[in-house]
Amino acid sequence: MIEDKNQQRTPLSELGEFKLIEHLTQHFKITQETTIKGIGDDAAIIDIKDKQIVVSTDLLVEGVHFDLSYVPLKHLGYKAMMVNISDICAMNAKATQVTVSIAVSNRFPLEALEELYAGISTASKLYNIDVIGGDTTSSTSGLIISITAIGEVNANDVVLRSGAKPNDLIVVSGDIGGAYMGLQVLEREKEVFKVNPNSQPDLSMYTYIVERQLKPEARKDIVDLLQQLNVKPTSMIDISDGLSSEIIHLCKQSNVGCDLYENKIPLDPQVISTCEEFNIDSTTIALNGGEDYELLMTISQDDFPKIKGNPNLTVVGYITEKDRGMHLVTRGETKIPIIAKGWNALGENIE
Amino acid sequence: MIEDKNQQRTPLSELGEFKLIEHLTQHFKITQETTIKGIGDDAAIIDIKDKQIVVSTDLLVEGVHFDLSYVPLKHLGYKAMMVNISDICAMNAKATQVTVSIAVSNRFPLEALEELYAGISTASKLYNIDVIGGDTTSSTSGLIISITAIGEVNANDVVLRSGAKPNDLIVVSGDIGGAYMGLQVLEREKEVFKVNPNSQPDLSMYTYIVERQLKPEARKDIVDLLQQLNVKPTSMIDISDGLSSEIIHLCKQSNVGCDLYENKIPLDPQVISTCEEFNIDSTTIALNGGEDYELLMTISQDDFPKIKGNPNLTVVGYITEKDRGMHLVTRGETKIPIIAKGWNALGENIE
């Protein structure tokens, strides 16, 4: 589907492990003053001084988290970084360093890994993050990417999942459901391609949602915005598995309930039109589709004037006492219990 | 070969990702005062205050780094921890936290993962390390373990690979070659078992080397010992790939040469006898066998009286000017250049 225009294929066996690491990481520059020692010793060294450190890790497996028949390797490298940076953003922290480990089968030539690392490199430059270490090894099948992200935060600024209080407003950044619908479009085109390998997919109608799927952005800008607005959320989580799954996490860990308003959920027009085309309910997608990497947070009502009218932040409901339960208030004003059916790496419902 | 006595098989699909993480990590206790927040949020939080942080990561892939036909899962979990802790020791630092990510195919029942985590848990208790996060996901084939270890160290105590100076002594902890010969014994028994599944292997002659392979220890005790002896090495690395490969790393990064004495290399009698039985040269094994996780360091000659006679530390040679090259001085007093042929995850010579 996506044609490989790079015809050069250097077998990894020509390099060996150490030369491969050296080759792939040669263009990574250290920019964080907290990075004392990056790649090249047994461990990297960081000196954060008076801040706290946040650490998050994610494992992406070919055939489970991504399909290389329509995901370009460069985008994959970029996205793998975003998945981890997003977790650091969800702590209201600033990502500063990452370690990147990959396992690859010998079906990948060097040029493929160069593409993957080009995406990682782009992300590290754009988000001002040092790649300080990693491991490169072979796998018996497919590609596995494991990234650990490290960030810094003032102890007073940390936002956990557990701080939501009754009457707090529930706020979502950006819009949701796009990444999932982008995946549906790509999966459909893959099926068409299987039947007719000469077909040229026209994705121009789906640019936004396909980009949401292939090249998501971690909402570092929202963390910066909140600081500018002088708003410290009472709780926060990133939306990787779908809104319903994430709001359940926040409510359970905060020991509260919630009312979420269907008509408030921010959807891009392309999500709505594609849902209509696929004959899927857009609210279901917003609740259960994953990989949007937006931030879901709760804020005190006192902070509402500060975020009011901001196009990046949408109030979608409010926190209630725990015994009120977790509900979606539909357009028809019926209340239905929220159940997580989000993207699940092990393939089942969470509840 | 190693009989699975645990007959219970709970499919992972019965739990789902979140419940699985919860189940596997429920017994992990936080013991480090620097761990502010462990598992359960988007990221973990650490507060190291005035120390520096060291970070190292390793990826272990089934069929590449381990063979489950003779590696019990509990030992594998333990070893995966040691591989990472060893890197932290090699910085002269103290490992304090880890994140543990695993990808598993559905051929593994829950009980198998419990075994794996039991080994991780044992290591975390013995080495006083907090498991603060991770990711659990499915794989299309086999088991993948990715661990990131975090440690702390006073800025003045850090030992890099790059500090060796001419005339420094080259010192090895413990003895080497055992893990590789243990692997040879296990591989041989696997072949016997394939031909005759009723055979009962007698490993009593190989207890030490099999344990070196299956249950290595990171040399945290050596880091403590060096501190007690008031010896700060000028450079240090852990021996994961074989002595020759590691000494080349030290010399290249320190811009020096070395003379390594064949007759000084510390070998356990069981390594020598098993090498004779397998008709392999024991020096070749010591130089090129991997996975011993001993420490290779250089120390100033002034510090020699402090380590002299210590059974845990053996002087195996000394550092020379770079233009003298890197050599092994054989028992016959011939000098031969050191070439790395160590364990290599991508299957070729390093040089």
Side-chain angles (χ1 to χ4, degrees), chain A residues 128-141:
Chain A
N128 200 17
I129 288 167
D130 291 344
V131 179
I132 58 164
D135 193 11
T136 312
T137 186
S138 54
S139 85
T140 45
S141 73

Side-chain angles (χ1 to χ4, degrees), chain A residues 18 40-46 49 53-56 58-59 65 135 137-138 141 146 148 161 238 241 253 345, chain B residues 18 40-46 49 53-56 58-59 65 91 135 137-138 141 146 148 161 238 241 253 345:
Chain A
F18 297 105
D41 217 294
D42 293 278
I45 307 174
I46 303 171
K49 303 221 161 56
I53 304 149
V54 289
V55 181
S56 179
D58 267 296
L59 198 58
H65 300 96
D135 193 11
T137 186
S138 54
S141 73
S146 174
T148 299
R161 295 177 177 176
D238 74 322
D241 293 339
Q253 295 196 32
Chain B
F18 297 105
D41 216 295
D42 293 278
I45 307 173
I46 302 172
K49 304 221 160 56
I53 304 149
V54 290
V55 182
S56 179
D58 267 296
L59 199 57
H65 299 95
M91 305 298 284
D135 193 11
T137 183
S138 56
S141 72
S146 176
T148 298
R161 294 178 177 177
D238 74 321
D241 292 341
Q253 295 198 33

Side-chain angles (χ1 to χ4, degrees), chain A residues 159-228:
Chain A
V159 177
L160 301 179
R161 295 177 177 176
S162 53
K165 298 271 177 294
N167 300 319
D168 282 354
L169 300 175
I170 303 169
V171 177
V172 169
S173 69
D175 53 73
I176 57 180
Y180 184 84
M181 288 317 294
L183 182 64
Q184 300 315 304
V185 169
L186 289 166
E187 290 275 2
R188 183 179 66 183
E189 294 306 323
K190 183 184 171 185
E191 294 306 314
V192 172
F193 182 77
K194 271 188 199 163
V195 177
N196 176 13
N198 293 319
S199 70
Q200 284 292 320
D202 178 10
L203 298 177
S204 59
M205 274 175 68
Y206 310 105
T207 324
Y208 177 70
I209 57 173
V210 166
E211 181 152 337
R212 291 287 282 174
Q213 169 59 223
L214 294 181
K215 196 170 168 291
E217 300 289 344
R219 299 308 305 261
K220 178 184 190 294
D221 59 327
I222 296 292
V223 175
D224 294 341
L225 175 68
L226 290 170
Q227 199 176 10
Q228 283 161 31

